[in-house]
Amino acid sequence: MGITNGLAESFAQAEHIVTGSSKRSMRLLLRAFEEVDGDQASDMYGKGEVIEAFQTKMAKLLGKETAVFFPSGTMAQQIALRIWCDRKGIRKAAYHPLCHLEIHEERGLHELHGIQPVLLGGEDRLITLQDVQQMGEVGCLLLELPQREIGGQLPPFEELEAISAWCRDKGIPLHLDGARLFEIVPYYGRSEAEICRLFDSVYVSFYKGLGGIAGAVLVGDAGLAGEAKVWKRRHGGDLISLYPYIVSSDYYLDLRRPKMSRYYDGAKELARRLNEVAGLHTVPETPVSNMFHLHAALPAEQAARLFEQAARETGVALVGYVQEKTADRCASELSIGDRYEDLPPEKLEQALVLLDRLFREAGCGDE
Amino acid sequence: MGITNGLAESFAQAEHIVTGSSKRSMRLLLRAFEEVDGDQASDMYGKGEVIEAFQTKMAKLLGKETAVFFPSGTMAQQIALRIWCDRKGIRKAAYHPLCHLEIHEERGLHELHGIQPVLLGGEDRLITLQDVQQMGEVGCLLLELPQREIGGQLPPFEELEAISAWCRDKGIPLHLDGARLFEIVPYYGRSEAEICRLFDSVYVSFYKGLGGIAGAVLVGDAGLAGEAKVWKRRHGGDLISLYPYIVSSDYYLDLRRPKMSRYYDGAKELARRLNEVAGLHTVPETPVSNMFHLHAALPAEQAARLFEQAARETGVALVGYVQEKTADRCASELSIGDRYEDLPPEKLEQALVLLDRLFREAGCGDE
């Protein structure tokens, strides 16, 4: 990952952090449970008021018949893809080469479900309608919106509609990795339900932009949900009680979902300013959600030292790690949340001015 | 399951409940987090002080090299069996026909891991050394101590030692379903580590006798743990944060592990008195842990009505459900915890006297 310890340490110790909403401390849980009545009954193996009410709320919000709460998106998505592939009788799922299933799940979809990936799009671009039209026979197609590993890019909504229509016409189930679904609502100018309407199943996460502890929901029709509950039990995800994640997910959903437009505006503003710093540029150049990638035109170790120096001298930490892209280029990820609003503008300005000077001294210019 | 709603309702509404330690309300979580410092860092994908310290504690307590925390035992055990079967190159696991994997997991071990069961023992008896010697080629053997679904029975420790020695001699990995491991320490008069020494891998649960929210640990050597973490990620169990279950597991472990002898004594005392009631007998007759089954010599519906009547008239609820065994016999499960000690003895006596009268009036006698 090319994480340098000094940079991570400077990030952890900084007075001001630019990204995210809060530290992942146990206060997240304490805060979410502050108003909870101790007498409230626990969920029991997927049943009970606390889980059923939240599932109903999420199904309605996402415009689908039924929702199933899962401990993780890894579990929810493998299961969705397994169900669709079983129905089609084809053990192949199409998705992007930098999809979570491809790079973060130890090949679970193949090892547990015997499903082979069909990779569409590229390591620096989105899946297009043309990719989809040429993919051949698959059990289902997964789209991730925004495509996180390439900076959180999004296709035009019209292209999404065209992909959805093509899949429906061909009878190919379409699944949405909506880990950051709430974060794209402002850019598309469509509600979550309007976006989800294009998909047969959708997974959403509660700890990305929403900043909860953990947890996920899978929505679709009642048939899908029924099968998903059986697979959830098989995976070991049908815990006797999931309420620690349900209560906190509900709390942070209500707290932060209304703020997504502000996070998005903050991301655009910050990206514009970062693109003026020597040696830095953002991907996408203009963010389409609350997240983007920050690329630096220096080797990872060198850039890390400069980011660390800027954080230590100004108290404002921009990134906690950098990842090598090529021998002389590296990148990191920024997600705007509550902290950006609390950041004194003059402090941020100091950090950006210093970074500009440091990167210029290291040979980065305006060209 | 033959659960009658009236009986379940009478159980939920009773002033005194004989079994368990507390209601599964959200107070379980609030209580465990009362003293937690909000600044304490969350675990992150299996790393961090909170998960690593607890895993170290559990490995030491169970006398194994390494422990891995899991959200559920279903996940932990399938993974342990998969690793052993892979190492042996044999996709067969031997266990009891009423094992959790066989009856509560929707055939996950087969559907996800392609492992076939080899059933040993019977629906009313334990697995014996002879069963093991005759089982043929398997990838591993799972023993459950106590064997829950037949009342929580245990083999003599010497037979366990003989099974363990035989498996070691033949190179067959031996796994312990120790969901209720802490509960059998008093009967065997051996520490958890002394029991675990007979096994290559062990799973323990934190919400059976310990009364936590959810969570499990798998212990074994470092090689097993390393592979188990990869499979945990594949299953979708490597959550960004598991601390809600870790903190509560640790809390209830420390709170209730020291009480297991008292629970065991309570179970023996209660079973003795129940065996004096007309129409009732316990399995085992003398419990070997804090749990046992209560059999009633009446059809399920009729017995349920009598248990309900006794609960409503005396305020003391013994069971919340009964399960049909034959057309004229049914059974339920009792597990002794904190509540038994708080139960006024004269109240329990009233309930047992009334039950004796009701069952006699229904035709049950002393024969």
Side-chain angles (χ1 to χ4, degrees):
Chain A
M1 288 288 288
I3 298 172
T4 72
N5 290 335
L7 178 56
E9 194 187 86
S10 73
F11 190 82
Q13 295 170 347
E15 193 185 349
H16 302 286
I17 291 176
V18 176
T19 57
S21 283
S22 71
K23 214 176 152 183
R24 285 194 65 85
S25 70
M26 295 194 187
R27 187 160 292 111
L28 280 192
L29 182 143
L30 299 181
R31 188 174 167 187
F33 276 82
E34 229 162 53
E35 305 291 323
V36 164
D37 174 8
D39 285 329
Q40 199 183 334
S42 166
D43 54 311
M44 287 282 282
Y45 298 113
K47 301 219 184 304
E49 171 71 13
V50 60
I51 189 165
E52 287 167 25
F54 188 58
Q55 289 176 162
T56 300
K57 173 178 175 171
M58 291 310 301
K60 197 173 166 202
L61 179 60
L62 303 181
K64 297 288 184 200
E65 199 177 359
T66 317
V68 182
F69 190 86
F70 277 90
S72 76
T74 296
M75 195 184 293
Q77 294 208 110
Q78 282 184 26
I79 287 172
L81 270 47
R82 171 64 184 263
I83 294 168
W84 293 130
C85 286
D86 274 0
R87 289 199 192 169
K88 291 287 288 181
I90 303 172
R91 289 276 171 110
K92 287 186 204 169
Y95 47 66
H96 193 274
L98 297 178
C99 167
H100 198 274
L101 289 116
E102 188 66 11
I103 64 174
H104 290 308
E105 302 183 8
E106 297 279 1
R107 300 180 69 249
L109 188 70
H110 176 70
E111 296 286 341
L112 292 170
H113 296 286
I115 295 172
Q116 295 290 352
V118 173
L119 302 180
L120 304 181
E123 302 224 341
D124 54 2
R125 70 167 181 87
L126 291 167
I127 295 172
T128 63
L129 174 61
Q130 200 185 358
D131 294 325
V132 172
Q133 287 169 336
Q134 296 170 350
M135 70 187 169
E137 280 227 312
V138 299
C140 62
L141 167 63
L142 176 150
L143 295 184
E144 180 187 347
L145 302 178
Q147 195 75 50
R148 180 206 180 167
E149 299 288 345
I150 55 172
Q153 298 183 41
L154 285 175
F157 198 75
E158 296 65 34
E159 186 163 15
L160 270 189
E161 290 178 312
I163 291 173
S164 173
W166 193 88
C167 286
R168 261 177 212 170
D169 185 51
K170 303 291 178 192
I172 298 168
L174 185 59
H175 172 81
L176 172 59
D177 177 340
R180 293 165 182 79
L181 173 66
F182 306 105
E183 290 87 325
I184 65 174
V185 165
Y187 172 75
Y188 278 143
R190 264 103 174 170
S191 71
E192 293 89 347
E194 285 171 316
I195 299 168
C196 292
R197 195 179 296 151
L198 303 178
F199 298 86
D200 299 298
S201 57
V202 176
Y203 136 73
V204 297
S205 170
F206 298 103
Y207 66 89
K208 309 300 184 324
L210 297 176
I213 304 174
V217 146
L218 178 68
V219 295
D221 64 30
L224 178 95
E227 288 182 62
K229 286 178 184 176
V230 172
W231 282 108
K232 177 178 162 187
R233 169 146 297 216
R234 288 176 178 150
H235 264 254
D238 190 19
L239 307 197
I240 182 169
S241 297
L242 282 166
Y243 70 83
Y245 298 127
I246 298 166
V247 168
S248 50
S249 293
D250 198 13
Y251 178 85
Y252 289 106
L253 174 75
D254 287 351
L255 181 72
R256 299 221 170 91
R257 181 169 162 260
K259 297 182 180 179
M260 289 298 163
S261 284
R262 280 148 63 189
Y263 299 161
Y264 170 50
D265 290 342
K268 284 188 291 185
E269 181 190 79
L270 178 62
R272 191 173 42 71
R273 299 171 73 187
L274 285 167
N275 282 313
E276 291 165 4
V277 175
L280 300 184
H281 76 276
T282 69
V283 175
E285 189 179 343
T286 303
V288 291
S289 72
N290 72 322
M291 74 162 288
F292 57 86
H293 281 189
L294 179 63
H295 288 243
L298 284 179
E301 275 198 35
Q302 193 181 359
R305 276 197 306 273
L306 303 189
F307 283 122
E308 179 186 347
Q309 187 182 340
R312 295 211 185 272
E313 289 189 18
T314 66
V316 175
L318 208 56
V319 297
Y321 72 94
V322 292
Q323 193 172 1
E324 183 174 290
K325 298 304 265 185
T326 65
D328 53 8
R329 237 181 85 234
C330 61
S332 194
E333 182 176 290
L334 287 89
S335 293
I336 300 307
D338 290 351
R339 281 165 170 163
Y340 185 73
E341 290 194 2
D342 298 335
L343 185 63
E346 70 283 4
K347 283 276 184 189
L348 175 62
E349 193 56 31
Q350 277 172 26
L352 297 182
V353 167
L354 176 55
L355 273 175
D356 187 67
R357 180 165 68 72
L358 294 173
F359 272 80
R360 280 181 197 279
E361 287 169 5
C364 296
D366 299 296
E367 78 294 349
Chain B
M1 289 290 288
I3 298 171
T4 72
N5 289 335
L7 178 56
E9 195 187 86
S10 73
F11 190 82
Q13 296 171 345
E15 192 186 349
H16 301 285
I17 292 175
V18 175
T19 58
S21 283
S22 71
K23 213 176 152 180
R24 284 193 65 85
S25 71
M26 295 195 188
R27 187 161 291 112
L28 279 192
L29 182 144
L30 299 180
R31 187 175 169 187
F33 276 82
E34 228 162 55
E35 304 291 322
V36 164
D37 173 8
D39 285 330
Q40 198 183 336
S42 164
D43 54 311
M44 288 282 282
Y45 298 113
K47 302 219 184 306
E49 171 71 13
V50 60
I51 188 165
E52 288 166 23
F54 188 59
Q55 288 176 164
T56 301
K57 172 178 174 170
M58 291 310 300
K60 197 174 165 201
L61 179 61
L62 303 181
K64 297 289 183 198
E65 199 176 0
T66 317
V68 183
F69 190 86
F70 278 90
S72 75
T74 296
M75 195 184 292
Q77 294 208 109
Q78 283 184 24
I79 287 173
L81 269 48
R82 171 63 183 263
I83 293 169
W84 294 130
C85 286
D86 274 0
R87 289 199 192 169
K88 291 288 287 181
I90 302 171
R91 289 276 172 110
K92 286 186 203 169
Y95 49 65
H96 192 273
L98 296 178
C99 167
H100 197 273
L101 288 116
E102 188 65 13
I103 63 173
H104 290 307
E105 302 183 9
E106 297 279 1
R107 299 180 70 248
L109 187 70
H110 177 69
E111 296 285 341
L112 293 169
H113 296 286
I115 295 172
Q116 295 289 352
V118 173
L119 302 180
L120 305 181
E123 303 224 340
D124 54 2
R125 70 167 181 88
L126 291 167
I127 295 172
T128 63
L129 174 61
Q130 199 184 1
D131 294 324
V132 172
Q133 288 168 336
Q134 296 171 351
M135 70 187 167
E137 280 225 314
V138 298
C140 62
L141 168 63
L142 176 150
L143 295 183
E144 180 187 347
L145 303 178
Q147 195 76 51
R148 181 208 179 165
E149 298 288 346
I150 54 173
Q153 298 184 41
L154 285 175
F157 198 76
E158 296 64 34
E159 185 162 16
L160 271 190
E161 290 179 312
I163 291 173
S164 173
W166 192 88
C167 286
R168 262 177 211 168
D169 185 52
K170 303 290 179 193
I172 298 169
L174 185 59
H175 172 80
L176 171 59
D177 177 341
R180 293 166 182 79
L181 172 66
F182 305 105
E183 290 87 325
I184 64 175
V185 164
Y187 173 74
Y188 277 143
R190 264 103 174 170
S191 71
E192 291 90 345
E194 285 171 317
I195 299 167
C196 292
R197 197 177 295 151
L198 304 179
F199 297 85
D200 298 299
S201 58
V202 177
Y203 136 74
V204 298
S205 170
F206 298 103
Y207 66 89
K208 309 300 184 324
L210 296 175
I213 302 174
V217 147
L218 177 68
V219 295
D221 64 31
L224 178 96
E227 288 182 63
K229 285 178 184 176
V230 172
W231 282 109
K232 177 179 163 186
R233 171 147 295 219
R234 288 176 178 150
H235 264 254
D238 190 19
L239 306 199
I240 181 167
S241 298
L242 282 165
Y243 71 82
Y245 299 128
I246 297 167
V247 168
S248 50
S249 294
D250 198 12
Y251 178 85
Y252 289 106
L253 174 75
D254 288 350
L255 181 73
R256 300 222 170 92
R257 182 169 161 259
K259 298 183 181 179
M260 289 297 163
S261 284
R262 279 147 64 188
Y263 298 162
Y264 169 51
D265 290 341
K268 285 187 292 186
E269 180 189 81
L270 178 62
R272 191 174 39 72
R273 298 170 73 185
L274 285 166
N275 281 315
E276 291 165 4
V277 174
L280 299 185
H281 75 277
T282 70
V283 176
E285 189 180 344
T286 303
V288 291
S289 72
N290 73 322
M291 73 162 287
F292 57 86
H293 281 187
L294 179 63
H295 288 243
L298 284 178
E301 275 197 36
Q302 194 182 358
R305 275 198 306 275
L306 303 190
F307 283 122
E308 179 186 345
Q309 187 182 340
R312 295 206 186 273
E313 289 189 18
T314 66
V316 176
L318 208 57
V319 297
Y321 72 93
V322 292
Q323 194 171 0
E324 183 174 291
K325 299 303 266 185
T326 64
D328 53 8
R329 238 182 83 233
C330 62
S332 193
E333 182 176 291
L334 287 89
S335 292
I336 299 308
D338 290 351
R339 280 166 170 161
Y340 185 72
E341 290 195 1
D342 299 335
L343 185 64
E346 71 283 4
K347 283 274 183 187
L348 175 61
E349 192 56 33
Q350 277 172 25
L352 297 182
V353 166
L354 175 56
L355 272 174
D356 185 70
R357 181 163 69 72
L358 294 173
F359 272 81
R360 280 181 198 280
E361 286 169 6
C364 296
D366 297 295
E367 79 293 350

